[in-house]
Coordinates of all heavy atoms in Angstrom, one line a residue:
M23 N 10.6 95.0 250.8 CA 11.1 95.7 249.6 C 12.7 95.6 249.6 O 13.3 95.8 250.6 CB 10.6 97.1 249.7 CG 11.1 97.9 248.5 SD 10.7 99.7 248.7 CE 9.0 99.7 249.1
S24 N 13.2 95.2 248.4 CA 14.7 95.2 248.4 C 15.3 96.6 248.3 O 14.6 97.6 248.0 CB 15.1 94.4 247.1 OG 14.8 95.2 246.0
N25 N 16.5 96.7 248.7 CA 17.2 97.9 248.7 C 17.3 98.5 247.3 O 17.2 99.7 247.0 CB 18.6 97.8 249.3 CG 18.6 97.7 250.8 OD1 17.6 98.0 251.3 ND2 19.6 97.2 251.3
K26 N 17.4 97.6 246.2 CA 17.5 98.1 244.9 C 16.2 98.8 244.5 O 16.4 99.9 243.8 CB 17.7 96.9 244.0 CG 18.3 97.1 242.6 CD 18.6 95.9 241.9 CE 19.3 96.2 240.6 NZ 19.5 95.0 239.9
I27 N 15.1 98.4 244.8 CA 13.8 99.0 244.4 C 13.7 100.3 245.2 O 13.4 101.4 244.7 CB 12.6 98.1 244.8 CG1 12.6 96.9 243.8 CG2 11.3 98.9 244.6 CD1 11.6 95.9 244.1
A28 N 14.1 100.3 246.5 CA 14.0 101.5 247.3 C 14.9 102.6 246.8 O 14.5 103.8 246.9 CB 14.4 101.2 248.8
E29 N 16.0 102.2 246.2 CA 16.9 103.3 245.7 C 16.3 104.0 244.5 O 16.6 105.2 244.3 CB 18.2 102.6 245.2 CG 19.1 102.2 246.4 CD 20.3 101.4 245.9 OE1 20.5 101.2 244.7 OE2 20.9 100.7 246.7
K30 N 15.4 103.3 243.7 CA 14.9 103.9 242.5 C 13.8 104.9 242.8 O 13.5 105.8 242.1 CB 14.4 102.8 241.6 CG 15.4 102.0 240.9 CD 14.8 101.0 240.0 CE 15.8 100.0 239.4 NZ 15.2 98.9 238.7
K31 N 13.0 104.7 243.9 CA 11.9 105.5 244.3 C 12.4 106.8 244.8 O 13.3 106.9 245.6 CB 11.0 104.8 245.3 CG 10.3 103.6 244.7 CD 9.2 103.1 245.7 CE 8.5 101.9 245.0 NZ 7.5 101.4 245.8
K32 N 11.6 107.9 244.5 CA 11.8 109.2 244.9 C 11.3 109.4 246.2 O 10.2 108.8 246.6 CB 11.2 110.2 243.9 CG 11.9 110.3 242.6 CD 11.2 111.4 241.7 CE 11.9 111.5 240.4 NZ 11.2 112.4 239.5
G33 N 11.9 110.2 247.0 CA 11.3 110.7 248.3 C 10.4 111.7 248.2 O 10.3 112.3 247.1
W34 N 9.6 112.1 249.2 CA 8.6 113.1 249.1 C 9.1 114.5 248.7 O 8.4 115.3 248.1 CB 7.7 113.2 250.3 CG 8.4 113.6 251.6 CD1 9.1 112.9 252.4 CD2 8.6 115.0 252.0 NE1 9.7 113.6 253.4 CE2 9.4 115.0 253.2 CE3 8.1 116.3 251.5 CZ2 9.6 116.1 253.9 CZ3 8.5 117.4 252.2 CH2 9.2 117.3 253.4
R35 N 10.4 114.7 249.1 CA 10.9 116.1 248.7 C 11.2 116.2 247.2 O 11.3 117.4 246.6 CB 12.3 116.2 249.5 CG 12.1 116.5 251.0 CD 13.5 116.8 251.6 NE 13.4 116.9 253.0 CZ 13.4 116.0 253.9 NH1 13.6 114.8 253.5 NH2 13.3 116.3 255.2
E36 N 11.4 115.0 246.5 CA 11.7 115.1 245.1 C 10.4 115.1 244.2 O 10.4 115.4 243.1 CB 12.5 113.9 244.6 CG 14.0 113.9 245.1 CD 14.2 113.4 246.5 OE1 13.5 112.4 246.8 OE2 14.9 113.9 247.3
L37 N 9.3 114.8 244.9 CA 8.0 114.7 244.1 C 7.4 116.1 244.0 O 7.6 117.0 244.8 CB 7.0 113.8 244.8 CG 7.4 112.3 244.9 CD1 6.5 111.6 245.7 CD2 7.4 111.7 243.5
P38 N 6.7 116.4 242.9 CA 6.0 117.6 242.7 C 4.9 117.8 243.8 O 4.3 116.8 244.2 CB 5.3 117.5 241.3 CG 5.9 116.4 240.7 CD 6.4 115.5 241.7
I39 N 4.6 119.0 244.2 CA 3.6 119.2 245.2 C 2.3 118.7 244.8 O 1.9 118.9 243.7 CB 3.5 120.8 245.5 CG1 4.8 121.3 246.1 CG2 2.2 121.1 246.4 CD1 4.9 122.8 246.2
G40 N 1.6 118.0 245.7 CA 0.4 117.3 245.4 C 0.4 116.1 244.4 O -0.5 115.6 244.0
G41 N 1.7 115.7 244.1 CA 1.9 114.6 243.2 C 1.4 114.9 241.8 O 1.0 114.0 241.1
M42 N 1.4 116.2 241.4 CA 0.9 116.6 240.1 C 1.8 116.0 239.0 O 3.0 115.9 239.2 CB 0.9 118.2 240.1 CG -0.2 118.7 240.9 SD -0.3 120.5 240.5 CE 1.3 121.1 241.0
I43 N 1.2 115.7 237.8 CA 1.9 115.3 236.7 C 2.3 116.6 235.9 O 1.3 117.3 235.5 CB 1.1 114.4 235.9 CG1 0.8 113.1 236.7 CG2 1.8 114.0 234.5 CD1 -0.2 112.1 236.0
L44 N 3.5 116.9 235.8 CA 3.9 118.2 235.2 C 4.0 118.2 233.6 O 4.0 119.2 232.9 CB 5.2 118.6 235.8 CG 5.3 118.8 237.3 CD1 6.6 119.2 237.8 CD2 4.1 119.8 237.7
E45 N 4.2 116.9 233.1 CA 4.3 116.8 231.7 C 3.0 116.2 231.2 O 2.7 115.0 231.5 CB 5.5 115.9 231.3 CG 6.8 116.3 231.7 CD 7.9 115.3 231.5 OE1 7.7 114.4 230.6 OE2 8.8 115.2 232.3
A46 N 2.3 116.9 230.3 CA 1.1 116.5 229.8 C 1.2 115.5 228.8 O 2.3 115.4 228.1 CB 0.2 117.6 229.2
G47 N 0.3 114.6 228.7 CA 0.3 113.5 227.5 C 1.3 112.4 227.7 O 1.8 112.0 226.7
N48 N 1.7 112.1 228.9 CA 2.7 111.0 229.1 C 2.1 109.7 229.6 O 2.9 108.9 230.0 CB 3.7 111.5 230.1 CG 3.1 111.8 231.5 OD1 1.9 111.6 231.7 ND2 3.9 112.1 232.5
S49 N 0.8 109.6 229.5 CA 0.2 108.3 230.1 C 0.7 107.1 229.3 O 0.8 105.9 229.9 CB -1.3 108.3 229.9 OG -1.8 108.5 228.6
A50 N 1.1 107.2 228.0 CA 1.6 106.0 227.2 C 2.9 105.5 227.8 O 3.2 104.3 227.7 CB 1.7 106.3 225.8
E51 N 3.6 106.3 228.6 CA 4.9 105.9 229.1 C 4.7 105.0 230.4 O 5.6 104.4 230.8 CB 5.7 107.1 229.5 CG 6.1 108.0 228.3 CD 6.6 109.3 228.8 OE1 7.1 109.5 229.9 OE2 6.6 110.2 227.9
Y52 N 3.5 105.0 231.0 CA 3.3 104.2 232.2 C 2.5 103.0 231.9 O 1.4 103.0 231.4 CB 2.5 105.1 233.2 CG 3.3 106.3 233.7 CD1 3.4 107.5 233.0 CD2 4.2 106.1 234.8 CE1 4.1 108.5 233.4 CE2 5.0 107.1 235.1 CZ 5.0 108.3 234.5 OH 5.8 109.4 234.9
N53 N 3.2 101.9 232.0 CA 2.6 100.6 231.8 C 1.8 100.2 233.1 O 2.4 99.8 234.1 CB 3.7 99.6 231.5 CG 4.4 99.9 230.2 OD1 4.0 100.6 229.4 ND2 5.6 99.4 230.1
T54 N 0.4 100.3 232.8 CA -0.5 100.0 233.9 C -1.0 98.6 234.0 O -1.8 98.3 234.8 CB -1.6 101.0 233.9 OG1 -2.2 101.0 232.6 CG2 -1.1 102.5 234.2
G55 N -0.6 97.8 233.0 CA -1.1 96.4 232.9 C -0.8 95.6 234.1 O -1.5 94.6 234.4
A56 N 0.3 95.8 234.8 CA 0.7 95.0 236.0 C -0.4 95.1 237.1 O -0.3 94.3 238.1 CB 2.0 95.5 236.5
W57 N -1.4 96.0 237.1 CA -2.4 96.1 238.1 C -3.5 95.1 238.0 O -4.2 94.9 238.9 CB -3.1 97.4 238.1 CG -2.3 98.6 238.2 CD1 -0.9 98.7 238.3 CD2 -2.6 100.0 238.0 NE1 -0.4 100.0 238.4 CE2 -1.5 100.8 238.1 CE3 -3.8 100.6 237.7 CZ2 -1.5 102.2 238.0 CZ3 -3.9 102.0 237.6 CH2 -2.7 102.8 237.9
R58 N -3.5 94.4 236.8 CA -4.6 93.5 236.6 C -4.9 92.3 237.5 O -3.8 91.7 237.9 CB -4.4 92.9 235.1 CG -4.9 93.7 234.0 CD -4.9 92.8 232.7 NE -3.6 92.1 232.5 CZ -2.7 92.6 231.8 NH1 -2.8 93.7 231.2 NH2 -1.5 91.9 231.7
T59 N -6.1 92.0 237.7 CA -6.4 90.7 238.4 C -7.1 89.8 237.3 O -6.9 88.7 237.4 CB -7.5 90.9 239.5 OG1 -6.8 92.0 240.4 CG2 -7.7 89.8 240.3
F60 N -7.8 90.4 236.4 CA -8.4 89.7 235.4 C -7.9 90.3 234.0 O -7.5 91.5 234.0 CB -10.0 89.9 235.4 CG -10.6 89.0 236.5 CD1 -10.7 89.7 237.7 CD2 -10.9 87.8 236.4 CE1 -11.3 89.0 238.8 CE2 -11.5 87.0 237.4 CZ -11.7 87.6 238.7
L61 N -8.0 89.6 232.9 CA -7.6 90.1 231.7 C -8.7 89.6 230.6 O -9.3 88.6 230.8 CB -6.2 89.7 231.3 CG -5.8 88.1 231.3 CD1 -6.2 87.5 230.0 CD2 -4.3 88.1 231.6
P62 N -8.8 90.4 229.6 CA -9.8 90.2 228.6 C -9.3 89.1 227.6 O -8.2 89.0 227.2 CB -10.1 91.4 227.9 CG -8.8 92.2 228.0 CD -8.2 91.8 229.3
H63 N -10.2 88.2 227.2 CA -9.9 87.2 226.2 C -11.0 87.2 225.1 O -12.2 87.2 225.5 CB -9.9 85.9 226.9 CG -9.5 84.8 225.9 ND1 -10.4 84.0 225.2 CD2 -8.3 84.3 225.5 CE1 -9.8 83.1 224.5 NE2 -8.5 83.4 224.5
I64 N -10.6 87.3 223.9 CA -11.6 87.5 222.8 C -11.8 86.2 222.0 O -10.8 85.4 221.8 CB -11.2 88.7 221.8 CG1 -12.3 88.8 220.8 CG2 -9.9 88.3 221.1 CD1 -12.2 90.1 220.0
N65 N -13.1 85.9 221.8 CA -13.5 84.8 220.9 C -13.7 85.5 219.5 O -14.7 86.0 219.2 CB -14.7 84.2 221.4 CG -15.1 83.0 220.6 OD1 -14.7 82.9 219.4 ND2 -16.0 82.2 221.1
R66 N -12.6 85.3 218.7 CA -12.7 86.0 217.4 C -13.8 85.5 216.5 O -14.3 86.2 215.5 CB -11.3 85.9 216.7 CG -10.3 86.7 217.3 CD -9.0 86.7 216.6 NE -8.0 87.5 217.4 CZ -7.8 88.7 217.3 NH1 -8.4 89.5 216.4 NH2 -6.9 89.3 218.0
K67 N -14.2 84.2 216.7 CA -15.4 83.7 215.9 C -16.6 84.4 216.2 O -17.5 84.6 215.3 CB -15.5 82.2 216.2 CG -14.4 81.3 215.6 CD -14.6 79.9 215.8 CE -13.5 79.1 215.3 NZ -13.5 77.7 215.9
E68 N -16.8 84.9 217.3 CA -18.0 85.6 217.8 C -18.0 87.1 217.5 O -19.0 87.8 217.3 CB -18.3 85.4 219.3 CG -18.6 84.0 219.7 CD -19.9 83.5 219.1 OE1 -20.8 84.3 218.9 OE2 -19.9 82.3 218.7
C69 N -16.8 87.7 217.4 CA -16.6 89.1 217.3 C -17.2 89.6 215.9 O -16.9 89.0 214.9 CB -15.1 89.5 217.3 SG -14.8 91.2 217.0
K70 N -18.0 90.6 216.0 CA -18.6 91.2 214.7 C -17.9 92.6 214.4 O -18.4 93.2 213.4 CB -20.1 91.6 215.0 CG -20.9 90.4 215.6 CD -21.0 89.2 214.6 CE -21.8 88.1 215.1 NZ -21.3 86.8 214.8
N71 N -16.8 92.9 215.0 CA -16.0 94.1 214.6 C -16.8 95.4 214.7 O -16.6 96.2 213.9 CB -15.3 93.9 213.3 CG -14.3 92.8 213.3 OD1 -13.3 93.0 214.1 ND2 -14.4 91.7 212.5
C72 N -17.7 95.4 215.6 CA -18.5 96.7 215.8 C -17.7 97.8 216.3 O -18.0 98.9 216.4 CB -19.8 96.3 216.6 SG -19.4 95.9 218.4
L73 N -16.7 97.3 217.1 CA -15.8 98.3 217.8 C -16.3 99.1 219.0 O -15.8 100.1 219.4 CB -15.0 99.3 216.8 CG -14.2 98.5 215.7 CD1 -13.6 99.5 214.8 CD2 -13.1 97.5 216.3
L74 N -17.4 98.5 219.5 CA -17.9 99.2 220.8 C -16.9 99.1 221.9 O -16.8 100.0 222.7 CB -19.3 98.5 221.2 CG -20.5 99.1 220.5 CD1 -21.8 98.4 220.9 CD2 -20.7 100.6 220.7
C75 N -16.2 97.9 221.9 CA -15.2 97.8 223.0 C -14.1 98.8 222.9 O -13.7 99.4 223.8 CB -14.6 96.3 222.9 SG -13.9 95.9 221.3
W76 N -13.8 99.2 221.7 CA -12.8 100.2 221.4 C -13.3 101.6 221.9 O -12.5 102.4 222.5 CB -12.4 100.3 220.0 CG -11.5 101.4 219.5 CD1 -10.2 101.5 219.8 CD2 -12.0 102.5 218.7 NE1 -9.8 102.7 219.1 CE2 -10.8 103.3 218.5 CE3 -13.1 102.9 218.2 CZ2 -10.8 104.5 217.8 CZ3 -13.2 104.1 217.5 CH2 -12.0 104.9 217.3
I77 N -14.5 101.8 221.7 CA -15.1 103.1 222.1 C -15.1 103.2 223.6 O -14.8 104.3 224.2 CB -16.5 103.3 221.5 CG1 -16.5 103.5 220.1 CG2 -17.3 104.4 222.1 CD1 -17.8 103.4 219.3
Y78 N -15.6 102.1 224.3 CA -15.7 102.2 225.7 C -14.4 102.0 226.6 O -14.4 102.4 227.8 CB -16.7 101.1 226.1 CG -18.2 101.6 225.9 CD1 -19.0 101.1 224.8 CD2 -18.8 102.5 226.9 CE1 -20.2 101.5 224.6 CE2 -20.1 102.9 226.6 CZ -20.8 102.4 225.6 OH -22.1 102.8 225.4
C79 N -13.5 101.4 226.0 CA -12.3 101.2 226.8 C -11.6 102.4 227.4 O -11.3 103.3 226.6 CB -11.2 100.4 225.9 SG -9.7 100.1 226.9
P80 N -11.5 102.6 228.6 CA -11.1 103.8 229.3 C -9.6 104.0 229.1 O -9.1 105.1 229.4 CB -11.5 103.7 230.7 CG -11.6 102.3 231.0 CD -12.0 101.6 229.7
D81 N -8.8 103.0 228.7 CA -7.4 103.1 228.7 C -6.9 102.9 227.2 O -5.7 102.8 227.1 CB -6.7 101.9 229.5 CG -7.0 102.2 231.0 OD1 -6.5 103.3 231.4 OD2 -7.6 101.4 231.6
S82 N -7.8 103.1 226.2 CA -7.3 103.0 224.8 C -6.5 101.7 224.6 O -5.4 101.7 223.9 CB -6.6 104.3 224.4 OG -7.4 105.4 224.5
A83 N -6.9 100.7 225.3 CA -6.1 99.4 225.3 C -6.6 98.4 224.2 O -6.1 97.3 224.1 CB -6.1 98.8 226.6
I84 N -7.5 98.9 223.4 CA -8.0 98.0 222.3 C -7.5 98.6 221.0 O -7.7 99.8 220.7 CB -9.5 97.8 222.2 CG1 -9.9 97.0 223.4 CG2 -10.0 97.2 220.9 CD1 -11.3 96.9 223.8
I85 N -6.6 97.8 220.3 CA -6.0 98.4 219.1 C -6.7 97.9 217.9 O -6.9 96.7 217.7 CB -4.5 97.9 219.0 CG1 -3.8 98.2 220.4 CG2 -3.8 98.5 217.8 CD1 -3.7 99.6 220.8
V86 N -7.1 98.9 217.1 CA -7.8 98.6 215.9 C -6.9 98.4 214.7 O -6.0 99.2 214.6 CB -8.9 99.7 215.6 CG1 -9.5 99.6 214.2 CG2 -9.9 99.8 216.7
K87 N -7.1 97.4 213.9 CA -6.3 97.2 212.8 C -7.1 97.1 211.5 O -8.0 96.2 211.4 CB -5.4 96.0 212.9 CG -4.3 95.7 211.9 CD -3.4 94.6 212.3 CE -2.3 94.5 211.3 NZ -1.5 93.3 211.5
E88 N -6.9 98.0 210.6 CA -7.7 98.0 209.3 C -9.2 98.1 209.5 O -10.0 97.3 208.9 CB -7.2 96.9 208.4 CG -5.8 97.0 207.9 CD -5.3 95.7 207.2 OE1 -6.1 94.8 207.0 OE2 -4.1 95.7 206.9
G89 N -9.6 98.8 210.5 CA -11.0 99.0 210.8 C -11.7 97.9 211.5 O -12.9 97.9 211.7
K90 N -10.8 97.0 212.0 CA -11.4 95.8 212.8 C -10.6 95.7 214.1 O -9.6 96.2 214.3 CB -11.2 94.5 211.9 CG -12.0 94.5 210.6 CD -11.8 93.2 209.9 CE -12.7 93.2 208.7 NZ -12.5 92.0 207.9
F91 N -11.2 94.9 215.0 CA -10.6 94.6 216.2 C -9.2 94.0 215.8 O -9.2 92.9 215.2 CB -11.4 93.6 217.1 CG -10.9 93.3 218.3 CD1 -11.2 93.8 219.5 CD2 -9.8 92.3 218.5 CE1 -10.6 93.5 220.7 CE2 -9.3 92.0 219.7 CZ -9.6 92.6 220.8
G92 N -8.2 94.5 216.5 CA -6.9 94.0 216.2 C -6.3 93.1 217.4 O -6.3 91.9 217.3
H93 N -6.1 93.8 218.5 CA -5.6 93.1 219.7 C -5.8 94.0 220.9 O -6.1 95.2 220.8 CB -4.1 92.6 219.6 CG -3.2 93.7 219.5 ND1 -2.9 94.2 218.2 CD2 -2.4 94.3 220.4 CE1 -2.0 95.2 218.3 NE2 -1.7 95.3 219.6
F94 N -5.6 93.4 222.2 CA -5.5 94.2 223.4 C -4.1 94.6 223.6 O -3.2 93.9 223.4 CB -6.0 93.3 224.5 CG -7.4 92.8 224.5 CD1 -7.8 91.5 224.1 CD2 -8.4 93.7 224.7 CE1 -9.1 91.0 224.1 CE2 -9.8 93.2 224.6 CZ -10.0 92.0 224.4
D95 N -4.0 95.8 224.0 CA -2.6 96.4 224.4 C -2.5 95.9 225.9 O -2.9 96.6 226.8 CB -2.6 97.8 224.3 CG -1.3 98.5 224.9 OD1 -0.5 97.8 225.3 OD2 -1.3 99.7 224.7
M96 N -1.8 94.9 226.1 CA -1.7 94.3 227.5 C -0.8 95.1 228.4 O -0.7 94.9 229.6 CB -1.3 92.9 227.5 CG -2.3 92.0 226.7 SD -4.0 92.4 227.3 CE -4.3 91.2 228.5
K97 N -0.1 96.1 227.8 CA 0.8 97.0 228.7 C 0.0 98.0 229.4 O 0.4 98.6 230.3 CB 1.9 97.6 227.8 CG 3.0 96.7 227.4 CD 4.1 97.5 226.7 CE 5.3 96.6 226.3 NZ 6.2 97.3 225.5
H98 N -1.2 98.2 228.8 CA -2.1 99.3 229.4 C -3.4 98.9 229.9 O -4.0 99.6 230.6 CB -2.2 100.5 228.3 CG -0.9 101.2 228.2 ND1 -0.1 100.9 227.0 CD2 -0.2 102.0 228.9 CE1 1.0 101.6 227.1 NE2 1.0 102.3 228.2
C99 N -3.8 97.7 229.5 CA -5.2 97.2 229.8 C -5.1 96.9 231.3 O -4.2 96.2 231.9 CB -5.5 95.9 229.1 SG -6.8 95.0 230.0
K100 N -6.1 97.4 232.1 CA -6.2 97.3 233.6 C -7.1 96.1 234.0 O -7.3 95.9 235.1 CB -6.6 98.5 234.2 CG -5.6 99.7 234.1 CD -6.1 100.8 235.1 CE -5.3 102.1 234.8 NZ -5.9 102.8 233.7
G101 N -7.7 95.5 233.0 CA -8.6 94.4 233.3 C -9.9 94.8 234.0 O -10.4 94.0 234.8
C102 N -10.4 96.0 233.6 CA -11.6 96.6 234.2 C -12.8 95.8 233.8 O -13.8 95.8 234.5 CB -11.7 98.0 233.9 SG -12.1 98.3 232.1
G103 N -12.9 95.2 232.7 CA -13.9 94.4 232.2 C -15.1 95.2 231.5 O -16.1 94.6 231.1
I104 N -14.8 96.4 231.3 CA -15.8 97.3 230.6 C -16.0 96.8 229.1 O -17.2 96.6 228.7 CB -15.5 98.7 230.6 CG1 -15.5 99.3 232.0 CG2 -16.3 99.6 229.7 CD1 -15.0 100.7 232.1
C105 N -15.0 96.4 228.5 CA -15.1 95.9 227.1 C -16.0 94.6 227.1 O -16.9 94.5 226.2 CB -13.8 95.6 226.5 SG -12.8 94.4 227.5
A106 N -15.8 93.7 228.0 CA -16.6 92.5 228.0 C -18.0 92.8 228.4 O -19.0 92.2 227.8 CB -16.1 91.5 229.1
H107 N -18.2 93.8 229.2 CA -19.7 94.2 229.6 C -20.4 94.8 228.5 O -21.6 94.6 228.3 CB -19.6 95.2 230.8 CG -20.9 95.6 231.4 ND1 -21.6 96.6 230.9 CD2 -21.7 94.9 232.3 CE1 -22.8 96.7 231.5 NE2 -22.8 95.7 232.4
E108 N -19.7 95.6 227.6 CA -20.3 96.3 226.6 C -20.5 95.6 225.3 O -21.2 96.0 224.4 CB -19.6 97.7 226.3 CG -19.6 98.6 227.4 CD -21.0 99.0 227.9 OE1 -21.9 99.1 227.0 OE2 -21.2 99.4 229.0
C109 N -19.7 94.5 225.1 CA -19.7 93.7 223.8 C -21.1 93.1 223.6 O -21.6 92.4 224.4 CB -18.6 92.7 223.9 SG -18.8 91.6 222.4
P110 N -21.8 93.5 222.6 CA -23.1 93.1 222.3 C -23.4 91.7 222.1 O -24.4 91.1 222.3 CB -23.7 94.0 221.1 CG -22.4 94.4 220.4 CD -21.3 94.4 221.5
V111 N -22.2 91.0 221.6 CA -22.4 89.5 221.3 C -21.6 88.7 222.3 O -21.4 87.5 222.2 CB -22.0 89.2 220.0 CG1 -22.9 89.9 218.9 CG2 -20.5 89.6 219.7
K112 N -21.1 89.3 223.4 CA -20.4 88.6 224.5 C -19.2 87.9 223.9 O -18.9 86.6 224.3 CB -21.3 87.6 225.3 CG -22.5 88.4 226.0 CD -22.0 89.4 227.0 CE -23.1 90.3 227.5 NZ -22.6 91.5 228.0
A113 N -18.4 88.5 223.0 CA -17.3 87.9 222.4 C -16.1 88.0 223.3 O -15.0 87.4 223.1 CB -17.0 88.5 221.0
I114 N -16.1 88.8 224.4 CA -15.0 89.0 225.3 C -15.3 88.4 226.7 O -16.4 88.7 227.2 CB -14.6 90.5 225.4 CG1 -14.2 91.1 224.1 CG2 -13.5 90.7 226.5 CD1 -14.0 92.6 224.1
A115 N -14.4 87.6 227.1 CA -14.6 87.0 228.4 C -13.5 87.5 229.4 O -12.3 87.7 228.9 CB -14.6 85.5 228.4
M116 N -13.7 87.7 230.6 CA -12.7 88.1 231.5 C -12.1 86.9 232.2 O -12.9 86.0 232.8 CB -13.1 89.1 232.6 CG -13.7 90.4 232.0 SD -12.5 91.3 230.9 CE -11.3 91.8 232.1
V117 N -10.8 86.6 232.1 CA -10.2 85.5 232.8 C -9.2 85.9 233.9 O -8.6 87.0 233.7 CB -9.6 84.5 231.8 CG1 -10.6 84.0 230.8 CG2 -8.5 85.2 231.0
E118 N -9.0 85.0 234.8 CA -8.1 85.4 235.9 C -6.7 85.6 235.4 O -6.3 84.7 234.7 CB -8.2 84.4 237.0 CG -7.7 85.0 238.3 CD -8.1 84.0 239.6 OE1 -9.1 83.2 239.4 OE2 -7.5 84.2 240.6
A119 N -6.0 86.6 235.7 CA -4.6 86.8 235.3 C -3.7 86.0 236.2 O -3.9 85.9 237.4 CB -4.2 88.3 235.4
K120 N -2.8 85.3 235.6 CA -1.8 84.5 236.3 C -0.6 85.4 236.7 O -0.1 86.2 235.9 CB -1.4 83.3 235.6 CG -2.4 82.3 235.4 CD -2.0 81.1 234.4 CE -3.1 80.2 234.2 NZ -3.0 79.3 233.1
K121 N -0.2 85.4 238.0 CA 0.9 86.2 238.4 C 2.2 85.5 238.4 O 2.2 84.3 238.6 CB 0.7 86.9 239.7 CG -0.6 87.8 239.8 CD -0.3 89.1 239.1 CE -1.5 90.0 239.0 NZ -1.3 91.1 238.3
Ligands
LIG223 S1 -17.6 94.9 221.1 FE1 -17.4 92.7 220.8 S2 -18.2 92.3 218.7 FE2 -17.6 94.5 219.0 S3 -15.5 94.6 218.2 FE3 -15.5 94.4 220.4 S4 -15.2 92.2 220.7 FE4 -15.9 92.5 218.6
LIG224 S1 -10.5 95.2 230.3 FE1 -10.8 97.4 230.5 S2 -8.8 98.3 230.1 FE2 -8.7 96.2 229.4 S3 -9.3 96.3 227.2 FE3 -11.2 95.9 228.3 S4 -12.1 98.0 228.7 FE4 -9.9 98.2 228.2

């Protein structure tokens, strides 16, 4: 770990007890996409715009545009694969994320 990164991190004395999140509703501020090993890829020709993927995505990382599948929010998608699993026409495939 570089010294620059170490300087930015808080020590245990600065963290809230139990690591609690004190400000509610702040999840959008945390970009969790960097955790991914796999990422979803949509075949738009197969997509029927049923939006089941949007309903099931645990990170609200599927963005709907004008009532149809719009795009994946890659800042928040964790690559869990639930959308691909739930898509009834298998329009979503999980592909390995390149680091
Ligand atoms: S679940 Fe599949 S068919 Fe339905 S909107 Fe999502 S990608 Fe399209
Ligand atoms: S892979 Fe998981 S987090 Fe990403 S869009 Fe699909 S359901 Fe959401």
Side-chain angles (χ1 to χ4, degrees):
M23 183 187 306
S24 74
N25 285 341
K26 202 172 182 181
I27 294 172
E29 284 168 13
K30 288 181 188 171
K31 289 190 174 179
K32 290 181 180 177
W34 66 270
R35 288 187 181 88
E36 289 85 41
L37 294 172
I39 292 172
M42 288 189 298
I43 296 172
L44 303 178
E45 295 168 34
N48 65 354
S49 61
E51 296 168 22
Y52 293 91
N53 297 337
T54 50
W57 302 355
R58 275 191 310 266
T59 306
F60 289 90
L61 55 87
H63 182 265
I64 187 166
N65 179 344
R66 290 186 185 269
K67 287 181 185 166
E68 295 295 326
C69 175
K70 306 296 182 220
N71 292 302
C72 67
L73 300 182
L74 276 178
C75 53
W76 172 73
I77 290 169
Y78 279 101
C79 176
D81 290 299
S82 300
I84 290 169
I85 308 303
V86 174
K87 192 172 180 187
E88 295 173 1
K90 296 181 177 180
F91 181 98
H93 62 274
F94 296 105
D95 171 1
M96 299 313 268
K97 285 186 177 170
H98 295 99
C99 166
K100 294 192 191 78
C102 66
I104 291 174
C105 55
H107 186 268
E108 297 300 332
C109 176
V111 294
K112 302 297 172 207
I114 300 174
M116 299 304 291
V117 297
E118 200 166 341
K120 292 176 184 160
K121 296 285 176 185

